[in-house]
Amino acid sequence: MLYAHVDDLRDSLAARQTRALAAAAGTRQARVEREAFVHLYGGRLTQLNAAENALCFGRLDLDDSDRPRYVGRIGLHEPDQDSEPLLVDWRAPVARPFYLATALQPDGVRRRRHIRTVGRRVVHLHDENLTGAAPDAAGPDSITSESALMVALDRARTGRMSDIVETVQAEQDRIIRSDLSGVLVVQGGPGTGKTAVALHRAAYLLYHHREQLERRGVLIIGPNTTFLRYIAEVLPALGETGVLLATTGDLFPGVSPTLTEPGAVTALKGQLLMAEVVAGAVADRQWVPEDDDEMVAIRHDGQLLRLDRQACLALRERVRGSRLLHNEARPLVRRLLVKEFARLWAEAVGEDPLGGENLLGPEDLAIVHRELDENDDVDGVVDWLWPALTPTRLLRELFASPRRIRAAAAQVGLTQTEQDWLVREGNGWSEADVPLLDEAAELLGRDDSAARRLAGELQTANLEYAQGVLDVLRGSESGDFEDEESEILAAFDLIDAETLLGRQEEADHRTAAERAATDRTWRFGHIVVDEAQEVSPMAWRLLLRRGRSMTLVGDVAQASEPAGAGSWRQALGPHVGDRWRLEELSVNYRMPAPIAEVAAGVLRALDPDLPSPEAVRLDGARPWSHRSTDIFAQLPDLVGGELEKIDPERRLAVVAAPDQSAQVFAALEKELREPVARGEDPDETGTSGPARVVVLEPRETKGLEFDAVIVVEPERILAASPRGLSDLYVAVTRATQRLGVVHCAELPQSLAALRPQ
């Protein structure tokens, strides 16, 4: 019945969309209405198609009602909107007992039913009788719907994150439904579901603040493109498609970072002092002669007009005092130069040989001003003293010049070594450069005077053309009725040139996310930042320019980027002070208890004060270690042995230090019968689907999970970076079923819980 209603609704919407497209749209209002209806029907069709799988997943039998309440991904109503909904959207307040009701606090729920489907076919039902039933004894106290949760946790990992809408737990639900305003930080260890919580929170906010967020958009920031591909299907499955997924490197339109820089350089570029370096680079380009003998000169009407250093300094200080952005100040620079050159010309030409006042009157000076305003040499002086700069030009020329770097860093105190780190030639950009480019754009601004002049000229030309069209029509009509007075209304009787031109303007049909992707100055209605502990101070400046309503999720214990933060107060204090609130996730849903025990040992070595999340699954395979004198020779057999112990559809990751990952991949690709993927896009394997085996570096696994994981040579991972212990913690917390460690050197003490094999 439910799917029959969906099919009827889909057919009805498609028919309405077709009729809207075919509707006459002669007037501008009619055209706008047609486009609005097409967009409305198309959006609802997209939502229905996206939520088709597992459309209904729950049922509530209530104490005070004989009619069951069905819960699903989207809400569905009968044509009579006042009737009880056929399907309650999981985000609606009346659906909340599905997630919060327990045997101890049933919240008016007599029975909760979990419905699992494949396509449109029901394959499993699980009922929980909450009235008079004893609470489940296993697992943490906060777990609700344990049977359904365990089924979900035991599913094979497909290479794409799935939603958790069927099994959201109480502490997750509280965070998902928290207020839109302000900055919410969600701290959670590995496997606590913080990424899923953040995505479901985005869907929840879009449901309850639809008008605001659809207009301004929602931005999801991930640590890398692999992670974004991993989470890409979650929001569409929840019926939300108008969201922009990006990394911080994607947030400067026209720039795609391709360079990889040493960790020390990345850390330096992430520090707040780089904002002062960029400001110093802009100030350095506002040039004046370096000594009193150097002049700035133009020739006008036979006179050589020269500005000395003091005059240039005075001009620069006056322009800086205006507080205009660099490029926006160029028209002022030009006006002041014209005025100064006019004064010099008047002194040279209009001087009274007998002394006294200048012989030139106001009208003469006005003519001189106009002539100088048309003198191309003045533009050359403006470009010399105050050049038009783009962010890319500013930074490219800064990094290519040790002298410019020295001048920009003069007030900051960079060491000579740090200045040398910034020297670089070429046109490529790194991800750490993007916040610097954004900072430069904020300081430079745009001189749009020429663009506005051109737009005005184009508008005038278009109006003249539209008037010409009406004049042609008027002439044609008057010729037809030359000898008689016509009462027939013609086009020129009903509209003027401006109205005719307005009817030719095309509406922008792009979504807010599509428009925001090309607009650096766009401010989003809400921003979700995953792995937020990795965001550098300079990147925080960039993100806070994009919006002030945020959900930040992460784990300070997993901070591995050189510019990352060791605490949330350290990360956010310089930018928002104490204006943020903290929520914590305490339950580990990913790792069974034996793997969680190993991870806890690494966490204690990293920071003894950080709590380890409590594992909800108490049973599982014991993690193992294997010492080998020739890792690359034995690794294919060890990987093959692990593959035999997991189901054919399950996946295995081999995690190795950056300086070993290529050798690991080569050894497995040569000897292993299974396809092996590597690195940035582990799921690009052709028509057969994602490879069962993928080789990754620790930081490439951020936010991902696999059924089995083998970590290669932990000591090499520890030595690979100053935050090697965080990298090792990330590596050992990716597994949902099995964990193994292969090593040649001694195992670090933090892995003492491993069982030798």
Side-chain angles (χ1 to χ4, degrees):
M1 174 184 167
L2 187 62
Y3 279 108
H5 179 79
V6 169
D7 290 337
D8 290 343
L9 182 58
R10 186 183 285 117
D11 291 342
S12 174
L13 288 169
R16 291 182 192 179
Q17 188 178 40
T18 301
R19 287 197 299 271
L21 285 168
T27 67
R28 184 175 186 180
Q29 179 179 350
R31 194 162 61 248
V32 170
E33 290 176 354
R34 181 187 67 182
E35 291 161 355
F37 280 121
V38 169
H39 176 74
L40 174 66
Y41 299 144
R44 184 58 170 166
L45 279 169
T46 300
Q47 188 182 52
L48 286 171
N49 292 332
E52 168 85 8
N53 186 41
L55 179 63
C56 174
F57 55 79
R59 166 178 157 169
L60 293 173
D61 294 335
L62 306 175
D63 292 336
D64 59 358
S65 175
D66 294 332
R67 181 172 178 175
R69 180 182 296 164
Y70 289 94
V71 181
R73 281 173 160 70
I74 59 174
L76 293 174
H77 289 78
E78 293 279 13
D80 177 10
Q81 293 291 322
D82 294 331
S83 64
E84 187 78 14
L86 291 172
L87 188 65
V88 174
D89 192 298
W90 67 276
R91 297 164 287 191
V94 293
R96 201 170 189 191
F98 184 79
Y99 301 107
L100 299 185
T102 65
L104 291 176
Q105 294 181 314
D107 200 13
V109 178
R110 185 172 67 254
R111 181 177 65 175
R112 173 171 47 208
R113 169 171 289 178
H114 294 268
I115 305 168
R116 188 151 58 92
T117 59
V118 174
R120 296 188 171 191
R121 181 169 58 90
V122 176
V123 297
H124 182 75
L125 297 175
H126 174 71
D127 286 344
E128 295 175 277
N129 294 309
L130 301 183
T131 303
D136 294 328
D141 294 338
S142 60
I143 298 300
T144 59
S145 315
E146 185 175 349
S147 177
L149 176 64
M150 294 306 170
V151 170
L153 295 179
D154 196 48
R155 290 174 187 163
R157 270 48 188 178
T158 64
R160 292 290 186 267
M161 175 181 276
S162 58
D163 63 73
I164 61 168
V165 67
E166 303 168 47
T167 57
V168 170
Q169 298 300 302
E171 70 171 5
Q172 297 172 328
D173 183 82
R174 184 185 68 253
I175 295 169
I176 288 170
R177 298 173 189 266
S178 58
D179 292 340
L180 168 67
S181 61
V183 177
L184 171 66
V185 178
V186 182
Q187 162 69 33
T192 54
K194 53 187 178 291
T195 297
V197 166
L199 295 174
H200 287 66
R201 173 162 162 75
Y204 172 82
L205 293 175
L206 280 163
Y207 176 82
H208 282 275
H209 305 274
R210 178 72 62 190
E211 183 178 352
Q212 174 184 350
L213 296 185
E214 279 199 339
R215 185 177 66 252
R216 296 175 56 190
V218 173
L219 173 64
I220 309 289
I221 293 292
N224 51 55
T225 54
T226 302
F227 175 83
L228 295 180
R229 281 188 289 268
Y230 177 64
I231 68 170
E233 296 175 4
V234 175
L235 283 168
L238 298 174
E240 302 296 346
T241 55
V243 175
L244 179 62
L245 275 65
T247 67
T248 54
D250 299 326
L251 294 184
F252 196 88
V255 169
S256 297
T258 56
L259 295 182
T260 300
E261 295 181 307
V265 178
T266 299
L268 174 61
K269 288 184 176 180
Q271 294 180 30
L272 282 179
L273 59 81
M274 287 302 297
E276 299 179 54
V277 173
V278 174
V282 174
D284 181 53
R285 304 304 293 269
Q286 297 163 357
W287 184 81
V288 296
E290 295 183 1
D291 55 60
D292 293 334
D293 296 330
E294 195 171 356
M295 299 283 184
V296 174
I298 67 168
R299 187 169 292 279
H300 179 72
D301 197 17
Q303 297 294 322
L304 183 63
L305 309 176
R306 298 184 296 181
L307 293 178
D308 61 16
R309 170 179 166 80
Q310 293 305 314
C312 291
L313 280 171
L315 183 147
R316 184 174 72 177
E317 292 311 306
R318 183 171 176 183
V319 176
R320 286 180 175 176
S322 72
R323 301 206 177 268
L324 290 170
L325 300 179
H326 176 88
N327 288 330
E328 294 171 6
R330 278 170 51 84
L332 175 59
V333 174
R334 196 181 195 285
R335 288 197 300 272
L336 293 177
L337 281 172
V338 167
K339 183 178 180 180
E340 188 65 17
F341 283 133
R343 183 186 66 79
L344 292 173
W345 190 89
E347 288 179 356
V349 174
E351 184 178 355
D352 184 352
L354 300 178
E357 294 184 0
N358 195 289
L359 298 177
L360 298 176
E363 293 182 359
D364 300 314
L365 291 175
I367 292 172
V368 173
H369 270 88
R370 286 197 298 271
E371 291 174 345
L372 281 166
D373 199 39
E374 297 172 357
N375 190 327
D376 293 339
D377 289 345
V378 175
D379 292 323
V381 174
V382 175
D383 290 338
W384 193 1
L385 296 179
W386 207 279
L389 296 169
T390 64
T392 51
R393 177 188 170 188
L394 176 75
L395 290 188
R396 187 178 294 118
E397 293 178 358
L398 171 68
F399 294 152
S401 169
R403 186 207 66 77
R404 290 193 191 281
I405 292 173
R406 185 167 59 253
Q411 305 301 318
V412 179
L414 292 185
T415 66
Q416 186 59 52
T417 299
E418 289 171 328
Q419 293 180 35
D420 292 342
W421 286 345
L422 295 178
V423 177
R424 187 183 74 204
E425 294 185 2
N427 296 328
W429 301 102
S430 70
E431 189 156 344
D433 291 328
V434 169
L436 306 186
L437 289 166
D438 196 70
E439 190 75 24
E442 289 291 307
L443 297 174
L444 292 174
R446 295 177 60 191
D447 174 12
D448 61 352
S449 54
R452 280 188 277 113
R453 281 198 305 271
L454 181 61
E457 293 169 1
L458 183 61
Q459 178 74 359
T460 300
N462 287 337
L463 282 172
E464 290 175 354
Y465 179 80
Q467 186 61 55
V469 170
L470 293 177
D471 291 343
V472 170
L473 289 173
R474 180 176 289 110
S476 173
E477 291 289 339
S478 62
D480 290 341
F481 301 97
E482 195 171 8
D483 299 326
E484 58 182 298
E485 197 172 310
S486 174
E487 295 182 359
I488 300 174
L489 291 176
F492 50 79
D493 295 316
L494 301 174
I495 60 174
D496 57 16
E498 189 172 353
T499 305
L500 178 61
L501 181 61
R503 290 185 175 184
Q504 309 309 311
E505 296 175 355
E506 292 295 328
D508 189 346
H509 300 297
R510 296 177 299 168
T511 65
E514 290 168 336
R515 284 180 282 133
T518 61
D519 185 353
R520 190 197 68 82
T521 63
W522 190 275
R523 288 185 67 82
F524 290 88
H526 193 71
I527 300 175
V528 174
V529 184
D530 207 311
E531 301 294 344
Q533 77 279 354
E534 306 291 9
V535 177
S536 72
M538 285 301 297
W540 279 122
R541 288 173 67 89
L542 177 154
L543 290 173
L544 287 163
R545 292 186 191 113
R546 302 299 190 270
R548 290 277 172 166
S549 172
M550 290 185 167
T551 302
L552 314 177
V553 297
D555 178 14
V556 292
Q558 297 184 62
S560 57
E561 292 298 326
S567 72
W568 295 116
R569 189 166 301 281
Q570 176 190 346
L572 299 175
H575 311 286
V576 298
D578 293 327
R579 298 184 302 278
W580 54 279
R581 59 193 192 276
L582 177 68
E583 293 280 1
E584 296 191 61
L585 294 169
S586 60
V587 180
N588 163 25
Y589 302 99
R590 177 190 299 150
M591 297 172 286
I595 298 179
E597 182 185 350
V598 174
V602 181
L603 182 61
R604 284 192 295 272
L606 182 62
D607 187 341
D609 296 328
L610 289 175
S612 184
E614 186 178 359
V616 74
R617 291 185 291 165
L618 302 181
D619 298 325
R622 191 74 188 170
W624 53 267
S625 66
H626 178 81
R627 189 167 190 176
S628 172
T629 57
D630 191 344
I631 290 176
F632 302 112
Q634 287 197 304
L635 189 58
D637 289 337
L638 292 169
V639 170
E642 286 297 288
L643 289 174
E644 291 177 359
K645 295 172 184 175
I646 60 177
D647 295 336
E649 73 275 12
R650 296 186 183 271
R651 307 182 73 214
L652 181 148
V654 181
V655 186
D659 61 351
Q660 279 193 319
S661 62
Q663 291 173 280
V664 167
F665 176 74
L668 293 176
E669 188 180 41
K670 180 180 179 181
E671 300 294 338
L672 204 63
R673 294 181 180 179
E674 290 279 351
V676 182
R678 179 190 177 197
E680 188 65 18
D681 192 355
D683 295 325
E684 287 294 327
T685 59
T687 58
S688 60
R692 288 192 71 199
V693 180
V694 56
V695 177
L696 296 167
E697 298 171 12
R699 294 182 189 182
E700 293 173 331
T701 68
K702 280 290 184 70
L704 308 182
E705 57 183 31
F706 300 88
D707 299 287
V709 171
I710 294 179
V711 179
V712 178
E713 199 63 273
E715 283 292 347
R716 294 285 282 269
I717 293 175
L718 291 175
S721 82
R723 293 190 167 181
L725 201 54
S726 292
D727 289 340
L728 181 59
Y729 183 57
V730 171
V732 300
T733 56
R734 301 302 99 192
T736 66
Q737 303 288 337
R738 300 182 61 82
L739 173 67
V741 174
V742 182
H743 61 106
C744 179
E746 289 286 342
L747 274 181
Q749 186 60 36
S750 58
L751 295 177
L754 289 171
R755 181 185 65 191
Q757 175 177 295

